[in-house]
mmCIF file of all heavy atoms in Angstrom:
data_model
loop_
_atom_site.group_PDB
_atom_site.id
_atom_site.type_symbol
_atom_site.label_atom_id
_atom_site.label_comp_id
_atom_site.label_asym_id
_atom_site.label_seq_id
_atom_site.Cartn_x
_atom_site.Cartn_y
_atom_site.Cartn_z
ATOM 1 N N GLY A 377 -15.377 -1.896 -19.953
ATOM 2 C CA GLY A 377 -15.460 -0.452 -20.136
ATOM 3 C C GLY A 377 -14.539 0.400 -19.296
ATOM 4 O O GLY A 377 -14.531 1.625 -19.440
ATOM 5 N N ALA A 378 -13.752 -0.194 -18.434
ATOM 6 C CA ALA A 378 -12.821 0.599 -17.634
ATOM 7 C C ALA A 378 -11.702 1.137 -18.518
ATOM 8 O O ALA A 378 -11.182 0.420 -19.384
ATOM 9 C CB ALA A 378 -12.238 -0.247 -16.509
ATOM 10 N N ASP A 379 -11.350 2.403 -18.323
ATOM 11 C CA ASP A 379 -10.179 2.929 -19.026
ATOM 12 C C ASP A 379 -9.011 3.160 -18.071
ATOM 13 O O ASP A 379 -7.941 3.598 -18.478
ATOM 14 C CB ASP A 379 -10.504 4.205 -19.816
ATOM 15 C CG ASP A 379 -11.230 5.260 -18.994
ATOM 16 O OD1 ASP A 379 -11.104 5.235 -17.755
ATOM 17 O OD2 ASP A 379 -11.919 6.100 -19.600
ATOM 18 N N LEU A 380 -9.227 2.854 -16.799
ATOM 19 C CA LEU A 380 -8.175 2.912 -15.790
ATOM 20 C C LEU A 380 -8.594 2.019 -14.634
ATOM 21 O O LEU A 380 -9.772 1.988 -14.269
ATOM 22 C CB LEU A 380 -7.982 4.349 -15.285
ATOM 23 C CG LEU A 380 -6.999 4.547 -14.122
ATOM 24 C CD1 LEU A 380 -5.567 4.338 -14.596
ATOM 25 C CD2 LEU A 380 -7.144 5.949 -13.523
ATOM 26 N N LEU A 381 -7.644 1.298 -14.059
ATOM 27 C CA LEU A 381 -7.927 0.458 -12.899
ATOM 28 C C LEU A 381 -7.196 0.977 -11.676
ATOM 29 O O LEU A 381 -6.053 1.431 -11.764
ATOM 30 C CB LEU A 381 -7.491 -0.992 -13.143
ATOM 31 C CG LEU A 381 -8.249 -1.826 -14.168
ATOM 32 C CD1 LEU A 381 -7.716 -3.254 -14.150
ATOM 33 C CD2 LEU A 381 -9.741 -1.815 -13.894
ATOM 34 N N ILE A 382 -7.878 0.925 -10.546
ATOM 35 C CA ILE A 382 -7.229 1.117 -9.253
ATOM 36 C C ILE A 382 -7.004 -0.267 -8.652
ATOM 37 O O ILE A 382 -7.955 -1.034 -8.472
ATOM 38 C CB ILE A 382 -8.094 1.952 -8.291
ATOM 39 C CG1 ILE A 382 -8.212 3.395 -8.794
ATOM 40 C CG2 ILE A 382 -7.504 1.937 -6.879
ATOM 41 C CD1 ILE A 382 -9.171 4.243 -7.969
ATOM 42 N N ILE A 383 -5.756 -0.581 -8.374
ATOM 43 C CA ILE A 383 -5.443 -1.823 -7.668
ATOM 44 C C ILE A 383 -5.519 -1.470 -6.187
ATOM 45 O O ILE A 383 -4.542 -1.041 -5.565
ATOM 46 C CB ILE A 383 -4.058 -2.368 -8.048
ATOM 47 C CG1 ILE A 383 -3.910 -2.438 -9.568
ATOM 48 C CG2 ILE A 383 -3.845 -3.748 -7.416
ATOM 49 C CD1 ILE A 383 -4.917 -3.330 -10.270
ATOM 50 N N GLY A 384 -6.719 -1.608 -5.628
ATOM 51 C CA GLY A 384 -7.030 -1.093 -4.301
ATOM 52 C C GLY A 384 -6.866 -2.092 -3.179
ATOM 53 O O GLY A 384 -7.564 -1.999 -2.159
ATOM 54 N N CYS A 385 -5.964 -3.029 -3.353
ATOM 55 C CA CYS A 385 -5.599 -3.967 -2.280
ATOM 56 C C CYS A 385 -4.102 -4.174 -2.383
ATOM 57 O O CYS A 385 -3.596 -4.593 -3.438
ATOM 58 C CB CYS A 385 -6.340 -5.289 -2.413
ATOM 59 S SG CYS A 385 -5.807 -6.535 -1.204
ATOM 60 N N THR A 386 -3.376 -3.886 -1.324
ATOM 61 C CA THR A 386 -1.918 -3.959 -1.383
ATOM 62 C C THR A 386 -1.409 -5.379 -1.585
ATOM 63 O O THR A 386 -0.305 -5.581 -2.090
ATOM 64 C CB THR A 386 -1.294 -3.361 -0.115
ATOM 65 O OG1 THR A 386 -1.846 -4.009 1.040
ATOM 66 C CG2 THR A 386 -1.570 -1.862 -0.030
ATOM 67 N N ASP A 387 -2.197 -6.377 -1.206
ATOM 68 C CA ASP A 387 -1.765 -7.761 -1.394
ATOM 69 C C ASP A 387 -1.574 -8.103 -2.868
ATOM 70 O O ASP A 387 -0.709 -8.912 -3.221
ATOM 71 C CB ASP A 387 -2.790 -8.734 -0.800
ATOM 72 C CG ASP A 387 -2.684 -8.867 0.705
ATOM 73 O OD1 ASP A 387 -1.554 -9.018 1.205
ATOM 74 O OD2 ASP A 387 -3.719 -8.814 1.383
ATOM 75 N N ILE A 388 -2.377 -7.507 -3.734
ATOM 76 C CA ILE A 388 -2.362 -7.888 -5.147
ATOM 77 C C ILE A 388 -0.984 -7.684 -5.758
ATOM 78 O O ILE A 388 -0.500 -8.511 -6.543
ATOM 79 C CB ILE A 388 -3.444 -7.098 -5.918
ATOM 80 C CG1 ILE A 388 -4.838 -7.512 -5.415
ATOM 81 C CG2 ILE A 388 -3.335 -7.339 -7.421
ATOM 82 C CD1 ILE A 388 -5.980 -6.708 -6.014
ATOM 83 N N ARG A 389 -0.317 -6.595 -5.400
ATOM 84 C CA ARG A 389 0.981 -6.259 -5.999
ATOM 85 C C ARG A 389 2.058 -7.293 -5.673
ATOM 86 O O ARG A 389 3.080 -7.387 -6.373
ATOM 87 C CB ARG A 389 1.418 -4.877 -5.508
ATOM 88 C CG ARG A 389 2.759 -4.387 -6.071
ATOM 89 C CD ARG A 389 2.728 -4.263 -7.585
ATOM 90 N NE ARG A 389 3.978 -3.753 -8.098
ATOM 91 C CZ ARG A 389 5.072 -4.488 -8.291
ATOM 92 N NH1 ARG A 389 5.068 -5.783 -7.990
ATOM 93 N NH2 ARG A 389 6.167 -3.935 -8.768
ATOM 94 N N VAL A 390 1.841 -8.096 -4.654
ATOM 95 C CA VAL A 390 2.839 -9.090 -4.263
ATOM 96 C C VAL A 390 3.139 -10.060 -5.402
ATOM 97 O O VAL A 390 4.291 -10.453 -5.618
ATOM 98 C CB VAL A 390 2.357 -9.880 -3.022
ATOM 99 C CG1 VAL A 390 3.306 -11.031 -2.694
ATOM 100 C CG2 VAL A 390 2.229 -8.942 -1.825
ATOM 101 N N ASP A 391 2.115 -10.426 -6.180
ATOM 102 C CA ASP A 391 2.326 -11.422 -7.238
ATOM 103 C C ASP A 391 1.794 -10.950 -8.596
ATOM 104 O O ASP A 391 1.725 -11.731 -9.525
ATOM 105 C CB ASP A 391 1.635 -12.741 -6.852
ATOM 106 C CG ASP A 391 2.118 -13.919 -7.697
ATOM 107 O OD1 ASP A 391 3.350 -14.080 -7.837
ATOM 108 O OD2 ASP A 391 1.260 -14.666 -8.226
ATOM 109 N N PHE A 392 1.424 -9.669 -8.685
ATOM 110 C CA PHE A 392 0.839 -9.194 -9.945
ATOM 111 C C PHE A 392 1.125 -7.721 -10.151
ATOM 112 O O PHE A 392 0.904 -6.901 -9.256
ATOM 113 C CB PHE A 392 -0.678 -9.406 -9.931
ATOM 114 C CG PHE A 392 -1.386 -8.832 -11.134
ATOM 115 C CD1 PHE A 392 -1.299 -9.461 -12.376
ATOM 116 C CD2 PHE A 392 -2.126 -7.665 -11.027
ATOM 117 C CE1 PHE A 392 -1.943 -8.939 -13.482
ATOM 118 C CE2 PHE A 392 -2.777 -7.132 -12.131
ATOM 119 C CZ PHE A 392 -2.687 -7.769 -13.361
ATOM 120 N N LYS A 393 1.635 -7.390 -11.338
ATOM 121 C CA LYS A 393 1.810 -6.000 -11.746
ATOM 122 C C LYS A 393 1.021 -5.806 -13.026
ATOM 123 O O LYS A 393 1.302 -6.449 -14.037
ATOM 124 C CB LYS A 393 3.280 -5.669 -11.956
ATOM 125 C CG LYS A 393 3.528 -4.208 -12.332
ATOM 126 C CD LYS A 393 5.007 -3.919 -12.382
ATOM 127 C CE LYS A 393 5.278 -2.502 -12.874
ATOM 128 N NZ LYS A 393 4.683 -1.469 -12.001
ATOM 129 N N CYS A 394 0.029 -4.940 -12.985
ATOM 130 C CA CYS A 394 -0.864 -4.759 -14.123
ATOM 131 C C CYS A 394 -0.098 -4.180 -15.308
ATOM 132 O O CYS A 394 0.605 -3.166 -15.181
ATOM 133 C CB CYS A 394 -2.027 -3.844 -13.744
ATOM 134 S SG CYS A 394 -3.309 -3.763 -15.015
ATOM 135 N N ALA A 395 -0.239 -4.822 -16.464
ATOM 136 C CA ALA A 395 0.463 -4.388 -17.672
ATOM 137 C C ALA A 395 -0.298 -3.287 -18.401
ATOM 138 O O ALA A 395 0.218 -2.700 -19.352
ATOM 139 C CB ALA A 395 0.681 -5.581 -18.609
ATOM 140 N N HIS A 396 -1.533 -3.021 -17.973
ATOM 141 C CA HIS A 396 -2.357 -2.007 -18.635
ATOM 142 C C HIS A 396 -2.388 -0.726 -17.795
ATOM 143 O O HIS A 396 -1.613 -0.564 -16.862
ATOM 144 C CB HIS A 396 -3.772 -2.558 -18.844
ATOM 145 C CG HIS A 396 -3.810 -3.813 -19.649
ATOM 146 N ND1 HIS A 396 -3.588 -3.846 -20.998
ATOM 147 C CD2 HIS A 396 -4.018 -5.109 -19.277
ATOM 148 C CE1 HIS A 396 -3.675 -5.085 -21.440
ATOM 149 N NE2 HIS A 396 -3.936 -5.882 -20.409
ATOM 150 N N THR A 397 -3.277 0.175 -18.138
ATOM 151 C CA THR A 397 -3.378 1.453 -17.438
ATOM 152 C C THR A 397 -3.954 1.238 -16.045
ATOM 153 O O THR A 397 -5.134 0.934 -15.892
ATOM 154 C CB THR A 397 -4.270 2.426 -18.228
ATOM 155 O OG1 THR A 397 -3.806 2.494 -19.585
ATOM 156 C CG2 THR A 397 -4.221 3.808 -17.616
ATOM 157 N N ALA A 398 -3.109 1.385 -15.045
ATOM 158 C CA ALA A 398 -3.546 1.117 -13.675
ATOM 159 C C ALA A 398 -2.737 1.944 -12.698
ATOM 160 O O ALA A 398 -1.604 2.345 -12.973
ATOM 161 C CB ALA A 398 -3.410 -0.362 -13.343
ATOM 162 N N ILE A 399 -3.340 2.217 -11.552
ATOM 163 C CA ILE A 399 -2.655 2.859 -10.438
ATOM 164 C C ILE A 399 -2.671 1.875 -9.284
ATOM 165 O O ILE A 399 -3.744 1.497 -8.803
ATOM 166 C CB ILE A 399 -3.332 4.186 -10.054
ATOM 167 C CG1 ILE A 399 -3.173 5.191 -11.205
ATOM 168 C CG2 ILE A 399 -2.732 4.747 -8.763
ATOM 169 C CD1 ILE A 399 -3.876 6.507 -10.987
ATOM 170 N N ASP A 400 -1.497 1.434 -8.889
ATOM 171 C CA ASP A 400 -1.370 0.402 -7.866
ATOM 172 C C ASP A 400 -1.143 1.055 -6.509
ATOM 173 O O ASP A 400 -0.182 1.809 -6.317
ATOM 174 C CB ASP A 400 -0.213 -0.536 -8.209
ATOM 175 C CG ASP A 400 -0.169 -1.755 -7.323
ATOM 176 O OD1 ASP A 400 0.120 -1.585 -6.118
ATOM 177 O OD2 ASP A 400 -0.436 -2.861 -7.805
ATOM 178 N N SER A 401 -2.024 0.767 -5.558
ATOM 179 C CA SER A 401 -1.975 1.446 -4.259
ATOM 180 C C SER A 401 -0.695 1.159 -3.483
ATOM 181 O O SER A 401 -0.205 2.029 -2.749
ATOM 182 C CB SER A 401 -3.200 1.063 -3.416
ATOM 183 O OG SER A 401 -3.259 -0.339 -3.208
ATOM 184 N N LEU A 402 -0.119 -0.018 -3.629
ATOM 185 C CA LEU A 402 1.113 -0.318 -2.893
ATOM 186 C C LEU A 402 2.276 0.490 -3.455
ATOM 187 O O LEU A 402 3.110 1.010 -2.707
ATOM 188 C CB LEU A 402 1.429 -1.811 -2.921
ATOM 189 C CG LEU A 402 2.553 -2.238 -1.966
ATOM 190 C CD1 LEU A 402 2.136 -2.032 -0.515
ATOM 191 C CD2 LEU A 402 2.968 -3.681 -2.196
ATOM 192 N N GLU A 403 2.337 0.609 -4.773
ATOM 193 C CA GLU A 403 3.379 1.420 -5.388
ATOM 194 C C GLU A 403 3.210 2.888 -4.993
ATOM 195 O O GLU A 403 4.193 3.586 -4.740
ATOM 196 C CB GLU A 403 3.344 1.251 -6.901
ATOM 197 C CG GLU A 403 3.719 -0.148 -7.365
ATOM 198 C CD GLU A 403 3.732 -0.281 -8.880
ATOM 199 O OE1 GLU A 403 3.436 0.719 -9.571
ATOM 200 O OE2 GLU A 403 4.047 -1.381 -9.371
ATOM 201 N N VAL A 404 1.961 3.343 -4.933
ATOM 202 C CA VAL A 404 1.692 4.721 -4.523
ATOM 203 C C VAL A 404 2.149 4.946 -3.083
ATOM 204 O O VAL A 404 2.778 5.968 -2.767
ATOM 205 C CB VAL A 404 0.197 5.060 -4.675
ATOM 206 C CG1 VAL A 404 -0.118 6.431 -4.071
ATOM 207 C CG2 VAL A 404 -0.216 5.019 -6.147
#
Side-chain angles (χ1 to χ4, degrees):
D379 50 24
L380 174 71
L381 291 185
I382 292 174
I383 309 300
C385 175
T386 55
D387 281 314
I388 295 175
R389 181 61 178 81
V390 173
D391 196 48
F392 175 74
K393 182 174 175 61
C394 189
H396 302 287
T397 308
I399 294 176
D400 190 292
S401 59
L402 191 66
E403 294 182 359
V404 172

